[in-house]
Amino acid sequence: MLGLIGFGLSPNFYVILASVFFIGLGSAVFHPEGSRVSYMAAGTRRGLAQSIYQVGGNFGQSLAPIFTAFIFVRLGQKGALGFTLVALMGILLLLYVSKWYKSQLEVEAFKPIKREKGTNGTPIHPKIKAAIALLVFLVIARSWYSAGIGNFYQFYLIKDYGLSIEQAQLYVFIFMFAGVLGTFLGGPLADRFGMRNIIFLSMAGAAPLTLILPYVSLGWVIPLFFLIGFIITSSFSVTVVYAQELVPQKIGMVSGLIVGFAFGMGAVGAVFFGTLADIFSIKFIMIICSFLPIIGVLTWLLPSDKKVREYNS
């Protein structure tokens, strides 16, 4: 909320940077613990619970192009001040959630201590470490693709297709809104068909569509955008649950690693793509991005759901 206030009133670029820092800090503190709360509340439906948790954030992000087109284009940066009310509502809701979280931690404290792999000096299985490293790499690749589309495709639409700012933002909204649906359905599908299978299908399944996206006519952009957004984000919550299953005794740490570090690397990708766009062109960036989902074929190097359970038994 402090970051939003600072952003809305920023007189120069450096104050904007400081404001964004506060917003990012709040997000960094919230998401790993939020994933942990979701895990504690999930019971046996961890995929569904994580999907419900993350669909809220994805839905909010999907509205960003709409806000840009109808609020910020017309009101400027001061339009951000209205969203401080949303942040205040979040604070009040989280006070309620935190009370439940505290009570659950107190219950956990009185349970008999169970020694698990990875605690008290017992080493984590080497294959689990390798799987975590590969999972982080896969999430970074997916985050870079989303960053490329979310940050630059609107300029590609404006420059190469001749759309206005408002029209281009609506196209990006379709991509992000499809991602909301994919995020919500991905968890239940993983509960039914397996987490590794959904992670593989979300990236490898989107690859043929992403490869042709830079070359299609405008009429094909919307259906392709919707399908890509839906498919590639169907593993958005699944990767978090898969990491939690890999290291169940370090829920907070792996949640931060996937939700924080790996997803946050998308911002690094945005800077990288922006630099390339200045050197080459926006279309060049779109072509580079189109190849990233192919990396998803490496998912088959991850241990199956059954193997993960065996490693931690």
Side-chain angles (χ1 to χ4, degrees), residues 154-282:
Q154 56 189 303
F155 301 114
Y156 180 58
L157 289 168
I158 294 169
K159 183 177 176 60
D160 285 55
Y161 291 94
L163 298 186
S164 66
I165 295 176
E166 290 84 355
Q167 290 171 327
Q169 293 293 337
L170 290 175
Y171 277 74
V172 177
F173 166 73
I174 290 169
F175 173 81
M176 292 185 170
F177 183 74
V180 174
L181 300 178
T183 298
F184 181 73
L185 294 176
L189 288 174
D191 288 336
R192 182 176 178 83
F193 299 107
M195 290 178 286
R196 189 184 70 168
N197 294 337
I198 297 301
I199 295 172
F200 173 79
L201 289 173
S202 74
M203 294 187 69
L209 303 177
T210 63
L211 287 171
I212 65 173
L213 180 64
Y215 309 102
V216 299
S217 62
L218 186 62
W220 284 100
V221 171
I222 287 180
L224 283 177
F225 241 19
F226 185 86
L227 289 173
I228 293 170
F230 181 87
I231 295 170
I232 204 166
T233 56
S234 61
S235 65
F236 196 87
S237 60
V238 178
T239 49
V240 180
V241 179
Y242 184 81
Q244 292 171 342
E245 294 288 334
L246 281 170
V247 193
Q249 68 278 9
K250 297 286 186 180
I251 298 298
M253 182 194 74
V254 295
S255 297
L257 192 62
I258 299 299
V259 180
F261 175 74
F263 290 166
M265 283 297 291
V268 178
V271 175
F272 176 71
F273 290 143
T275 302
L276 289 181
D278 289 337
I279 298 174
F280 300 102
S281 67
I282 294 293

Side-chain angles (χ1 to χ4, degrees), residues 67-200:
F67 295 152
T68 300
F70 297 103
I71 296 178
F72 298 119
V73 169
R74 301 178 183 182
L75 300 179
Q77 69 184 72
K78 286 185 170 55
L81 294 175
F83 294 97
T84 57
L85 296 176
V86 180
L88 180 60
M89 290 172 59
I91 292 171
L92 297 176
L93 286 171
L94 287 173
L95 287 173
Y96 172 79
V97 174
S98 297
K99 291 180 181 179
W100 179 87
Y101 184 24
K102 181 181 179 181
S103 67
Q104 291 299 115
L105 291 176
E106 291 172 348
V107 170
E108 292 289 328
F110 285 101
K111 286 184 178 180
I113 298 175
K114 179 182 177 181
R115 296 182 181 272
E116 298 185 66
K117 294 179 181 180
T119 60
N120 300 317
T122 305
I124 297 174
H125 197 291
K127 290 186 178 180
I128 290 182
K129 293 181 180 179
I132 286 289
L134 177 56
L135 187 65
V136 169
F137 177 69
L138 290 168
V139 174
I140 289 174
R142 189 185 64 201
S143 298
W144 276 41
Y145 181 79
S146 297
I149 294 297
N151 288 283
F152 298 102
Y153 197 80
Q154 56 189 303
F155 301 114
Y156 180 58
L157 289 168
I158 294 169
K159 183 177 176 60
D160 285 55
Y161 291 94
L163 298 186
S164 66
I165 295 176
E166 290 84 355
Q167 290 171 327
Q169 293 293 337
L170 290 175
Y171 277 74
V172 177
F173 166 73
I174 290 169
F175 173 81
M176 292 185 170
F177 183 74
V180 174
L181 300 178
T183 298
F184 181 73
L185 294 176
L189 288 174
D191 288 336
R192 182 176 178 83
F193 299 107
M195 290 178 286
R196 189 184 70 168
N197 294 337
I198 297 301
I199 295 172
F200 173 79

